[in-house]
Amino acid sequence: ETGVTQTPRHLVMGMTNKKSLKCEQHLGHNAMYWYKQSAKKPLELMFVYNFKEQTENNSVPSRFSPECPNSSHLFLHLHTLQPEDSALYLCASSQDTLPGGGSYNEQFFGPGTRLTVL
Amino acid sequence: QQQVKQSPQSLIVQKGGISIINCAYENTAFDYFPWYQQFPGKGPALLIAIRPDVSEKKEGRFTISFNKSAKQFSLHIMDSQPGDSATYFCAARGFGSARQLTFGSGTQLTVLP
């Protein structure tokens, strides 16, 4: 596997279900991100982890719970979701989140998990 | 609020034509302006990026034009090809320890054969 992988690619769940999304990066990066992508809207940053520590939570409802056990893996635990949570959930990674010289600190994205909440 | 406004929402161009997508921002603290390309079923991928100390950057058929005083930047795709059909997002990143990206709402480009 190379780059950033996400599983599952598609997920359909009821509002009372509990499920988890998984992201794995094979790039040796230290920072990982969760984004929500809805049609015709900008990508919404949800969570940021740098060196396994959560550095940003953009007022995300508690029904979304992230977990970062190490710099290569990131999970998004889902419970009691609402239909409006249906979207494409993207994971990304970068070298880190710190300001650094001339580095662009490019973010590399996975293919996403298409989530449908019934 | 840090916003990046992108237009048009969709664009149809004939093969060989020029595709132009525009973005405008408000926060003068932004210091990095990337463009991402996203194909169906894939995540966004960095296409080209510019810093505000230059007014233009060209990579192959893709050019970013940057107007710092107007707080606007645009992507030009020369000799557009059907394989360029994708959704394009502009973004901007500011100062600070987080340096998070703020994205535009995307432009769906269709290049007709």
Side-chain angles (χ1 to χ4, degrees):
Chain A
E1 295 279 11
T2 59
V4 180
T5 59
Q6 291 186 242
T7 55
R9 293 295 308 277
H10 300 271
L11 179 62
V12 179
M13 59 187 290
M15 290 193 289
T16 58
N17 291 158
K18 289 185 180 181
K19 297 287 184 183
S20 296
L21 310 184
K22 178 183 176 182
C23 175
E24 184 173 1
Q25 59 94 2
H26 309 267
L27 299 169
H29 289 162
N30 297 305
M32 298 188 77
Y33 310 75
W34 279 117
Y35 286 90
K36 177 183 179 182
Q37 184 175 27
S38 304
K40 296 183 174 60
K41 292 178 66 176
L43 273 70
E44 300 173 50
L45 180 65
M46 300 174 71
F47 301 103
V48 181
Y49 278 81
N50 198 33
F51 293 92
K52 301 188 297 179
E53 298 297 321
Q54 187 178 127
T55 59
E56 192 151 341
N57 175 339
N58 274 358
S59 303
V60 180
S62 59
R63 56 186 183 270
F64 295 91
S65 175
E67 178 189 0
C68 188
N70 54 62
S71 293
S72 298
H73 294 86
L74 185 64
F75 296 88
L76 189 62
H77 303 298
L78 316 171
H79 64 98
T80 60
L81 293 191
Q82 304 298 311
E84 59 264 30
D85 296 323
S86 298
L88 181 68
Y89 288 84
L90 291 164
C91 173
S93 71
S94 67
Q95 186 59 46
D96 54 48
T97 65
L98 301 175
S103 169
Y104 283 136
N105 200 30
E106 177 187 349
Q107 290 185 21
F108 293 80
F109 286 83
T113 295
R114 175 66 64 185
L115 174 67
T116 302
V117 181
L118 301 177
Chain B
Q1 185 177 0
Q2 296 184 1
Q3 284 190 336
V4 177
K5 296 182 180 180
Q6 183 171 347
S7 63
Q9 191 174 85
S10 62
L11 180 63
I12 300 175
V13 174
Q14 293 286 342
K15 178 183 176 181
I18 302 174
S19 303
I20 301 175
I21 305 170
N22 301 300
C23 284
Y25 62 97
E26 300 170 352
N27 189 341
T28 56
F30 286 142
D31 69 341
Y32 169 62
F33 301 88
W35 284 89
Y36 284 81
Q37 180 188 54
Q38 184 177 24
F39 292 105
K42 303 286 187 182
L46 180 66
L47 181 64
I48 186 173
I50 196 169
R51 288 200 157 167
D53 52 348
V54 297
S55 60
E56 185 175 283
K57 183 174 182 179
K58 184 176 181 179
E59 290 184 1
R61 295 183 294 108
F62 300 91
T63 299
I64 300 178
S65 296
F66 186 83
N67 186 328
K68 188 174 182 177
S69 60
K71 293 188 286 186
Q72 296 175 344
F73 58 110
S74 60
L75 176 69
H76 297 238
I77 306 175
M78 312 300 289
D79 186 27
S80 299
Q81 299 297 312
D84 297 330
S85 296
T87 300
Y88 293 81
F89 294 93
C90 63
R93 188 180 66 199
F95 296 118
S97 60
R99 294 176 71 88
Q100 303 314 328
L101 289 170
T102 299
F103 284 86
S105 54
T107 296
Q108 187 168 352
L109 172 65
T110 303
V111 181
L112 301 176

